[in-house]
């Protein structure tokens, strides 16, 4: 018997659906409660599908709402539906996929996809054949509804459709979809391309087998009158450029001509999709070759696309000049992610690991309109093309730029300033002759009466900060800094934000050049504290932290501390322990503590205590959650799956299955607190001793070092290393428990965790001296393996080399037998580091190990010579150690052999060794 609704029940459900559309919050709450009650009855879902598919007399919004509530139930409870209910829903969906109403068809499509996302594609074998069959229906609605559902399935399950689990249905589906590229309805053509497009990036075999037909069919649709079809054609070509450029190369000239037209398409969705083509092409090796001849057409098109559209200006409130008193709405504030502390070494140029600190926010400044739009895409395309063509781009750009920058229309002028910022990186060399004239003009734009012009001028100037700092300070740095500081106090929030970010970039470039202006800078930043709304306050913390990083100990002056610390501590006291705004403030204080050193002492106690409390609270919450999860496991009878971390990963599973009963563990508070404790230990040095003595931080650290979350371990090892340097007597009693954990974390799968654990082991070795002996075996093999691994990042290689050297320094007998296994990579990874304490201790260790096992270095002695030559000024006793080893080797092999050996040296190395060591 087919299921039939009870009339009274049906009326009740309809009333509920009507009520749920009421704007009254009390009614809404009552509806929610009623829904929860009704969800206890499985056949409630039958009523919902019945209203969606059969009650054609009801209005469409009510029917669609019924389907959407059912979709949510499927999402949350599908595994508990009785088979009869699930079957009824599936049958109704397939029977009504061709409903006359587009809204109802779309809702049924969403419902089908939600069921398939529950792993039902395998247990609903008739679904795909039936949908594909319905594509042939004479009835347009049935064909369109089926295509709509298929498109959603292709989007959600592209990998599964290609797998053997379903007998590779794509082999039938792809040729079928291709037939519909010629359909008379634009909607159907568009669905067909969109379905096939889902399989390009994954290089689905069924598509690769039909690739030429696909490309021909795309070309046939290139000038389709329907904008949705054109958009999907452009999207397909952009993806093919990435995965099957070989097939496009023969047609590349025509494709580029086509994309030039489409980038100017009157429909912005099409022009945006086409504009992506230039971004993707710039990443291909053939870009320069195929695009050179088209730059003359392309550059003006991209520049034109960089203007704000009318809708952008409305959304950005472009005509609002003063809004600083308007409170921010919370949804405007993007979540911030804390970047855990990674210990790195100083290199020759003083830069960190290349590519490690790329600023993800380095976009033109309208990021509150975070939707990707034609303006942003055009700017990004110009930026990457400037990096491909370098100064060859300028002849096409410079004639346009003058007209833009001096235009009386502010929208055009603004786009010109954005163009200048976009090409800054790629065309810097060619721009240098024009900068002395351009910079004053850009600085003048910081005072423009239009806020959007002021804000883009901030961003563009920040892109030239490196050049500004390379000039005499009075020529550009001083005027730029003066004007940017005024903009930090602008009446417009967008300008405040852009100015603060630009100033942080300038700080990073200028470093100690800013010292003479510190008083003036701090006055401005502190004044902004009283002026800023919520969102910009968070950016202000960043600017202050960056200032502290850039000027370091120069900040440690009573007058500066007096200006800076009271407002920071006032904010610190204002924020509650569970307030996410603590993150940026903790990060900022961490930089300030490191810079102020002893100057931070008067403020350190409450800050230290709060950090310890945050760590303790987070650990306690995680334990309570794990305990509750275990209780739930016992209650539901699920077995705890054995994992290396007890019940924690099971807790995660429980959280995923019962999100309503648990909050996800939020360990960011703990990570940021550990990092600030590191900053305190680094800044205060020995003065942190008293604070550590009066707290249980070592016990907490023992727990954090074993946390399942890599970022927590990463920060705890950084703190362990800093505490080892600052107050080792408190660390020493824990070494026997800590060392095995450190050994387990020498796993390069988690680069930053491994890096910090390695560094901490080296610091402990230096403090332990020969007492390190029992622990060498726990770590040495892993360290030697890491230093010999291909593609290990530079920072990790250097830290590993230093730690091996330090272990050899304190325990040469234990480490030297393995010398031959690591000496070559050891030497090559440390030759680029500046002279410093860490390098000094590591090289002493190598010298001592060579003393114990000279045979271990013989085969790679040239690498040792090269590493020794990388020292600018070693301490006298270290220089003596080098001298003895070099001369010892020379005496051992004899003058003639040494001559032959040193003939292999590059001239510079030969010269240095001769001048410094007389060999």
């Amino acid at each position: 018997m087919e299921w039939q609704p009870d009339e009274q029940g049906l009326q009740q459900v309809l009333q509920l659906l009507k009520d749920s559309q009421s704007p009254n919050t009390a009614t809404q709450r009552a509806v929610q409660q009623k829904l929860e009650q009704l969800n206890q009855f499985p056949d409630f879902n039958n009523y919902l599908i019945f209203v969606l598919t059969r009650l054609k007399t009801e209005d469409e919004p009510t029917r669609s709402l019924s389907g959407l509530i059912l979709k949510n139930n499927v999402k949350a409870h599908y595994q508990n539906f009785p088979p009869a209910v699930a079957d009824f829903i599936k049958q109704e969906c397939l029977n009504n996929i061709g409903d006359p109403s587009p809204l109802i068809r779309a809702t049924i499509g969403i419902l089908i996809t939600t069921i398939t996302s529950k792993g039902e594609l395998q247990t609903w074998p008739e679904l795909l054949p039936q949908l594909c069959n319905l594509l042939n229906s004479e009835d347009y609605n049935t064909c369109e509804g089926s295509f709509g559902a298929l498109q959603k399935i292709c989007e959600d399950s592209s990998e599964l459709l290609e797998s053997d689990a379903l007998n590779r249905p794509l082999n039938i589906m792809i040729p079928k979809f291709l037939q519909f590229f010629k359909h008379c309805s634009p909607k159907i053509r568009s669905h067909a391309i969109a379905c096939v497009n889902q399989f390009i990036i994954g290089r689905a075999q069924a598509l690769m087998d039909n690739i030429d037909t696909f490309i021909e069919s795309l070309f046939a649709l290139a000038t389709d009158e329907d904008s949705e079809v054109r958009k999907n054609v452009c999207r397909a070509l952009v993806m093919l450029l990435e995965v099957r450029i070989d097939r496009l190369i023969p047609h590349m000239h025509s494709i580029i001509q086509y994309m030039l037209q489409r980038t100017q398409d009157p429909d912005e969705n099409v022009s945006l999709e086409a504009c992506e083509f230039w971004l993707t092409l710039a990443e291909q090796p053939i870009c320069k070759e195929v695009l050179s001849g088209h730059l003359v057409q392309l550059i003006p098109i991209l520049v034109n696309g960089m203007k704000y559209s009318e809708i952008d200006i409305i959304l950005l409130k472009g005509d609002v000049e003063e809004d600083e008193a308007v409170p921010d709405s919370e949804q405007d504030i993007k979540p911030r992610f804390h970047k855990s502390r990674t210990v790195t070494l100083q290199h020759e140029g003083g830069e960190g690991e290349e590519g490690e600190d790329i600023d993800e926010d380095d976009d033109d400044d309208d990021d509150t309109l975070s939707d990707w739009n034609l303006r942003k895409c055009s700017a990004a395309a110009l930026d990457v093309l400037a990096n491909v063509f370098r100064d060859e781009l300028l002849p096409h750009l410079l004639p346009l730029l003058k007209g833009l920058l001096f235009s009386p229309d502010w929208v055009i002028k603004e786009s010109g300033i954005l163009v200048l910022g976009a090409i800054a990186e790629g065309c810097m060399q060619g721009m240098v002759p024009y900068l002395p004239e351009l910079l004053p003009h850009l600085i003048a734009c910081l005072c423009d009466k239009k806020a959007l012009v002021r804000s883009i001028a901030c961003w563009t100037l920040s892109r030239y900060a490196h050049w500004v700092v390379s000039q005499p300070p009075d020529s550009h740095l001083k005027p730029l800094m003066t004007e940017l500081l005024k903009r930090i106090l602008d009446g417009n929030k967008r300008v405040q934000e852009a100015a603060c970010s630009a100033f942080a970039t300038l700080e990073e470039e200028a470093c100690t050049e800013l010292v003479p202006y510190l008083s003036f800078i701090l006055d401005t930043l502190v004044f902004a504290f009283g002026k800023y709304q919520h969102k910009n306050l968070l950016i202000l913390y960043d600017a202050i932290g960056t200032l502290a990083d850039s000027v370091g100990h120069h900040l440690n002056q009573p007058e500066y501390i007096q200006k800076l610390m009271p407002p920071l501590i006032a904010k610190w006291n204002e924020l509650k322990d569970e307030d996410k705004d603590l993150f940026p403030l903790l990060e900022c204080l961490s930089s300030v503590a490191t810079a102020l050193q002893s100057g931070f002492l008067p403020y350190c106690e409450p800050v230290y205590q709060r950090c310890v409390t945050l760590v303790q609270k987070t650990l306690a919450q995680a334990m309570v959650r794990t305990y509750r999860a275990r209780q739930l496991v016992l209650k539901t009878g699920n077995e705890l799956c054995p994992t290396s971390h007890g019940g924690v990963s099971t807790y995660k599973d429980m959280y995923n299955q019962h999100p309503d009963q648990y909050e996800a563990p939020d360990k960011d508070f703990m990570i940021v607190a550990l990092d600030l404790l590191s900053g305190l230990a680094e800044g205060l040095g020995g003065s942190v001793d008293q604070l550590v003595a009066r707290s249980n931080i070592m016990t907490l650290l023992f727990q954090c070092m074993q946390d399942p979350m890599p970022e927590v371990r990463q920060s705890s090892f950084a703190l362990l290393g800093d505490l080892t340097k600052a107050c080792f007597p408190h660390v020493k009693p824990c070494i026997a428990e800590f060392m095995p954990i450190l050994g387990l974390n020498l796993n390069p799968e988690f680069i930053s965790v491994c890096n910090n654990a390695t560094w901490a082991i080296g610091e402990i070795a230096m403090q332990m001296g020969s007492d390190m002996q029992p622990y060498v075996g726990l770590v040495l093999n892993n360290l030697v393996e890491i230093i010999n691994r291909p593609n290990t990042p530079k920072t990790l290689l250097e830290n590993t080399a230093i730690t091996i050297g330090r272990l050899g320094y304190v325990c040469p007998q234990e480490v030297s037998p393995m010398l031959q296994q690591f000496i070559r990579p050891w030497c090559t990874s440390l030759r680029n580091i500046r002279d410093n304490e860490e390098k000094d201790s590591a090289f002493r260790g190598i010298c001592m190990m060579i003393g114990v096992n000279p045979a271990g270095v013989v085969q790679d002695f040239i690498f040792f010579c090269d590493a020794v030559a990388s020292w600018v000024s070693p301490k006298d006793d270290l220089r003596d150690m080098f001298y003895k080893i070099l001369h010892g080797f020379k005496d051992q092999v004899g003058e003639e052999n040494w001559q032959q050996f040193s003939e292999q040296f590059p001239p510079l190395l030969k010269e240095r060794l001769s001048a410094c060591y007389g060999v």
Side-chain angles (χ1 to χ4, degrees):
M1 274 290 292
E2 192 187 54
W3 179 87
Q4 287 298 326
D6 165 68
E7 192 49 44
Q8 195 183 350
L10 188 58
Q11 289 314 315
Q12 205 181 347
V13 170
L14 284 171
Q15 189 54 49
L16 186 69
L17 292 167
K18 297 266 188 289
D19 290 346
S20 70
Q21 294 170 62
S22 151
N24 182 320
T25 42
T27 314
Q28 287 284 350
R29 254 202 306 275
V31 167
Q32 275 314 108
Q33 284 175 327
K34 189 77 182 146
L35 276 175
E36 278 165 31
Q37 288 165 10
L38 288 170
N39 270 329
Q40 309 301 316
F41 304 102
D43 75 345
F44 170 51
N45 295 300
N46 284 358
Y47 283 92
L48 291 173
I49 189 77
F50 189 87
V51 172
L52 172 68
T53 55
R54 306 269 188 105
L55 280 194
K56 315 251 169 168
T57 49
E58 280 301 322
D59 61 282
E60 287 180 15
T62 302
R63 288 172 63 199
S64 173
L65 183 64
S66 183
L68 294 175
I69 292 173
L70 176 55
K71 177 206 79 166
N72 291 339
N73 287 351
V74 167
K75 235 179 174 158
H77 314 292
Y78 189 74
Q79 63 279 10
N80 303 329
F81 283 17
V85 172
D87 289 344
F88 182 62
I89 294 170
K90 289 176 180 174
Q91 206 42 55
E92 284 299 301
C93 284
L94 280 174
N95 290 346
N96 294 278
I97 193 79
D99 192 280
S101 151
L103 178 64
I104 302 303
R105 290 201 297 275
T107 309
I108 292 172
I110 291 169
L111 191 49
I112 289 175
T113 328
T114 312
I115 294 171
T116 59
S117 73
K118 289 292 176 185
E120 283 290 298
L121 261 180
Q122 289 98 315
T123 52
W124 193 356
E126 69 274 21
L127 173 67
L128 291 173
Q130 220 168 321
L131 286 175
C132 286
N133 221 358
L134 291 171
L135 295 180
N136 300 329
S137 167
E138 292 294 305
D139 174 45
Y140 167 80
N141 293 336
T142 303
C143 176
E144 198 274 328
S146 306
F147 243 134
L150 280 166
Q151 186 181 330
K152 293 186 181 80
I153 292 170
C154 292
E155 282 168 19
D156 287 359
S157 312
S158 58
E159 284 175 28
L160 189 56
L161 291 173
E162 211 201 343
S163 72
D164 289 330
L166 298 174
N167 294 329
R168 303 191 170 268
L170 274 197
N171 294 340
I172 296 163
M173 289 162 73
I174 296 272
K176 180 100 181 165
F177 294 153
L178 289 171
Q179 291 168 10
F180 284 88
F181 277 38
K182 298 187 175 74
H183 198 276
C184 60
S185 153
K187 189 89 197 268
I188 303 287
R189 294 198 296 275
S190 178
H191 275 314
I193 309 172
C195 284
V196 179
N197 282 358
Q198 296 306 322
F199 303 99
I200 299 175
I201 293 294
R203 295 170 182 264
Q205 194 52 52
L207 176 56
M208 294 304 132
D209 294 344
N210 290 279
I211 194 79
D212 293 327
T213 316
F214 176 45
I215 291 172
E216 278 164 36
S217 309
L218 286 174
F219 289 164
L221 293 175
T223 51
D224 200 282
E225 78 278 2
D226 183 76
S227 61
E228 197 61 24
V229 172
R230 294 197 304 275
K231 183 184 92 173
N232 283 331
V233 169
C234 290
R235 181 172 292 175
L237 289 169
V238 171
M239 291 190 285
L240 286 167
L241 192 56
E242 230 171 287
V243 298
R244 287 309 302 262
I245 194 166
D246 57 316
R247 283 293 192 262
L248 298 188
I249 285 175
H251 315 283
M252 196 52 91
H253 176 74
S254 343
I255 293 173
I256 287 173
Q257 284 301 329
Y258 173 66
M259 285 299 187
L260 286 166
Q261 286 175 338
R262 290 288 72 83
T263 308
Q264 305 170 79
D265 199 282
D267 184 305
E268 189 178 328
N269 292 320
V270 179
S271 56
L272 175 57
E273 210 58 64
C275 194
E276 293 279 352
F277 180 82
W278 315 113
L279 267 176
T280 306
L281 184 58
E283 289 165 6
Q284 307 304 320
I286 61 154
C287 174
K288 209 165 179 176
E289 182 192 329
V290 298
L291 204 52
S292 288
H294 302 278
L295 287 180
V296 65
Q297 291 165 281
L298 173 61
I299 298 302
I301 292 171
L302 290 178
V303 167
N304 193 44
M306 287 163 75
K307 292 201 299 271
Y308 275 126
S309 66
E310 284 176 32
I311 190 83
D312 288 341
I313 296 169
I314 294 164
L315 288 171
L316 290 168
K317 306 187 176 68
D319 50 349
V320 177
E321 289 303 317
E322 296 242 345
D323 62 355
E324 62 175 352
V326 182
D328 294 332
S329 75
E330 289 309 302
Q331 62 264 37
D332 287 346
I333 296 165
K334 284 197 271 191
R336 286 199 36 162
F337 300 101
H338 172 68
K339 207 168 169 190
S340 307
R341 196 177 177 95
T342 307
V343 186
T344 53
L345 299 167
Q346 292 294 301
H347 294 96
E348 289 302 343
E351 80 288 355
E353 172 102 358
E354 65 272 27
E356 242 189 344
D357 272 311
I358 292 163
D359 185 2
E360 293 87 358
D361 300 325
D362 199 13
D363 191 1
D364 69 77
D365 82 330
D366 46 313
D367 59 354
T368 30
L369 201 98
S370 55
D371 300 314
W372 189 236
N373 55 21
L374 183 62
R375 165 191 165 87
K376 288 190 160 192
C377 191
S378 304
L382 188 61
D383 187 341
V384 291
L385 289 170
N387 278 297
V388 172
F389 287 94
R390 302 281 165 188
D391 298 342
E392 290 170 41
L393 217 56
L394 291 177
H396 304 287
L397 260 175
L398 292 172
L400 301 172
L401 260 174
K402 200 164 188 180
L404 300 172
L405 289 171
F406 296 96
S407 168
D409 179 342
W410 75 265
V411 176
I412 293 175
K413 177 176 170 179
E414 194 277 346
S415 72
I417 301 171
L418 172 57
V419 168
L420 265 183
I423 61 169
E425 194 186 340
C427 304
M428 184 56 93
Q429 279 317 103
M431 286 304 293
V432 165
Y434 306 98
L435 290 178
E437 203 180 323
L438 267 175
L439 250 287
H441 177 67
L442 282 174
I443 292 173
C445 292
L446 289 172
C447 306
D448 195 274
K449 62 180 196 298
K450 275 288 178 196
L452 289 173
V453 173
R454 298 198 298 278
S455 70
I456 200 65
C458 291
W459 177 75
T460 292
L461 281 159
S462 76
R463 303 267 288 179
Y464 290 96
H466 186 74
W467 180 82
V468 168
V469 170
S470 71
Q471 303 302 301
D474 284 353
S475 56
H476 301 291
L477 176 62
K478 206 172 168 186
L480 172 58
M481 188 179 62
T482 311
E483 287 308 314
L484 268 183
L485 288 169
K486 285 183 195 162
R487 292 291 67 81
I488 284 178
L489 302 179
D490 199 275
N492 180 279
K493 292 193 287 192
R494 168 180 304 283
V495 179
Q496 293 171 358
E497 177 185 356
C500 243
S501 297
F503 195 71
T505 305
L506 187 63
E507 289 169 339
E508 285 172 342
E509 291 289 350
C511 294
T512 49
E513 296 274 335
L514 298 177
V515 172
Y517 315 107
L518 267 175
S519 185
F520 179 41
I521 293 171
L522 287 169
D523 284 340
T524 306
L525 297 180
V526 167
F527 191 78
F529 259 113
K531 192 177 169 76
Y532 276 14
Q533 297 294 338
H534 185 179
K535 181 183 175 189
N536 286 350
L537 255 184
L538 308 185
I539 296 162
L540 181 62
Y541 294 144
D542 183 51
I544 291 171
T546 307
L547 179 67
D549 293 338
S550 302
V551 300
H553 65 90
H554 297 285
L555 203 55
N556 188 4
Q557 298 289 338
E559 65 152 324
Y560 302 153
I561 295 172
Q562 213 25 61
K563 286 176 198 254
L564 181 59
M565 287 310 297
L568 281 177
I569 293 296
K571 288 286 173 202
W572 171 258
N573 292 331
E574 227 173 82
L575 292 174
K576 294 192 170 62
D577 275 357
E578 38 291 328
D579 193 325
K580 295 254 172 162
D581 285 5
L582 268 180
F583 295 171
L585 181 52
L586 281 157
E587 286 170 13
C588 168
L589 279 171
S590 183
S591 295
V592 170
T594 308
L596 289 185
Q597 298 171 347
S598 59
F600 199 80
L601 272 173
Y603 307 95
C604 65
E605 180 129 14
V607 173
Y608 179 90
Q609 289 306 344
R610 184 168 196 177
C611 287
V612 172
T613 307
L614 281 170
V615 174
Q616 199 158 357
K617 266 190 178 175
T618 313
L619 284 171
Q621 282 166 354
M623 283 174 73
V624 167
R625 288 178 180 132
T626 306
Y627 171 75
R628 282 195 193 138
R630 287 200 167 119
Q631 295 307 308
L632 187 65
V633 168
L634 295 171
K635 215 165 73 185
T636 55
N638 289 353
E639 293 224 359
L640 267 177
C641 49
T643 72
S644 52
H645 317 297
V648 182
S649 93
T650 306
Y651 165 66
K652 243 186 191 160
D653 303 337
M654 301 308 304
Y655 165 70
N656 291 335
Q657 286 165 26
H658 306 271
D660 43 343
Q661 281 161 297
Y662 296 103
E663 289 172 64
D666 185 354
K667 294 189 174 162
D668 283 357
F669 286 105
M670 175 156 79
I671 295 164
V672 187
L674 290 166
D675 286 347
L676 176 45
L677 288 169
S678 277
L680 288 175
E682 191 182 334
L684 300 174
S687 311
V688 83
D689 188 283
Q690 290 300 304
L691 297 168
V692 174
R694 294 199 295 272
S695 71
N696 60 339
I697 187 65
M698 299 316 296
T699 313
L700 298 173
L701 198 50
F702 181 61
Q703 287 174 264
C704 293
M705 284 164 58
Q706 298 175 81
D707 197 275
M709 190 172 173
E711 291 81 0
V712 176
R713 301 200 302 279
Q714 178 183 336
S715 293
S716 21
F717 296 140
L719 176 55
L720 175 61
D722 283 316
L723 291 175
T724 299
K725 287 171 82 169
C727 53
F728 188 64
H730 295 295
V731 179
K732 194 170 185 182
C734 314
I735 292 298
E737 289 178 297
F738 284 5
M739 282 308 297
I741 300 171
L742 286 163
L744 283 174
N745 280 279
L746 296 177
N747 170 7
E749 196 186 328
F750 299 105
I751 295 287
S752 299
V753 179
C754 182
N755 181 66
N756 288 4
T758 303
W759 174 74
I761 292 166
E763 291 298 338
I764 290 168
M766 293 306 289
Q767 299 286 348
M768 290 284 281
S770 57
D771 291 349
M772 193 68 181
Q773 194 185 341
Y775 307 110
V776 172
L778 286 172
V779 298
L780 185 59
N781 285 336
N782 286 355
L783 292 169
V784 172
E785 200 176 307
I786 291 166
I787 205 167
N788 281 298
R789 277 186 61 189
N791 305 326
T792 303
K794 198 164 74 174
T795 302
L796 179 56
L797 273 181
E798 289 161 357
N799 272 325
T800 306
I802 289 211
T803 295
I804 292 174
R806 289 176 150 192
L807 287 169
Y809 179 58
V810 296
C811 302
Q813 298 292 343
E814 283 69 25
V815 185
S816 59
M818 294 187 80
L819 188 57
Q820 196 176 341
Q821 292 179 42
F822 61 74
I823 185 70
R824 182 188 285 201
W826 191 95
C827 292
T828 50
S829 53
L830 289 189
R831 64 186 303 280
N832 293 324
I833 298 180
R834 284 193 199 160
D835 296 4
N836 62 22
E837 286 301 314
E838 294 176 317
K839 184 173 176 177
D840 178 277
S841 55
F843 270 84
R844 286 170 194 275
I846 268 303
C847 291
M848 291 177 74
M849 288 187 275
I850 291 173
V852 176
N853 176 17
V857 76
V858 170
Q859 280 181 325
D860 296 304
F861 198 69
I862 187 168
F863 292 95
F864 176 73
C865 296
D866 179 51
V868 165
S870 75
W871 278 88
V872 180
S873 47
K875 290 179 181 159
D876 290 345
D877 57 338
L878 181 59
R879 186 188 293 273
D880 289 345
M881 292 166 100
F882 292 158
Y883 185 91
K884 281 185 185 134
I885 291 173
L886 291 169
H887 279 272
F889 187 82
K890 184 179 174 183
D891 296 346
Q892 184 117 27
V893 298
E895 185 67 42
E896 197 179 325
N897 285 338
W898 175 263
Q899 281 310 322
Q900 279 182 333
F901 173 65
S902 60
E903 281 308 310
Q904 311 165 40
F905 291 3
L908 203 64
L909 173 59
K910 212 169 178 178
E911 220 172 277
R912 277 198 77 106
L913 291 178
S914 166
C916 301
Y917 301 99
V919 290

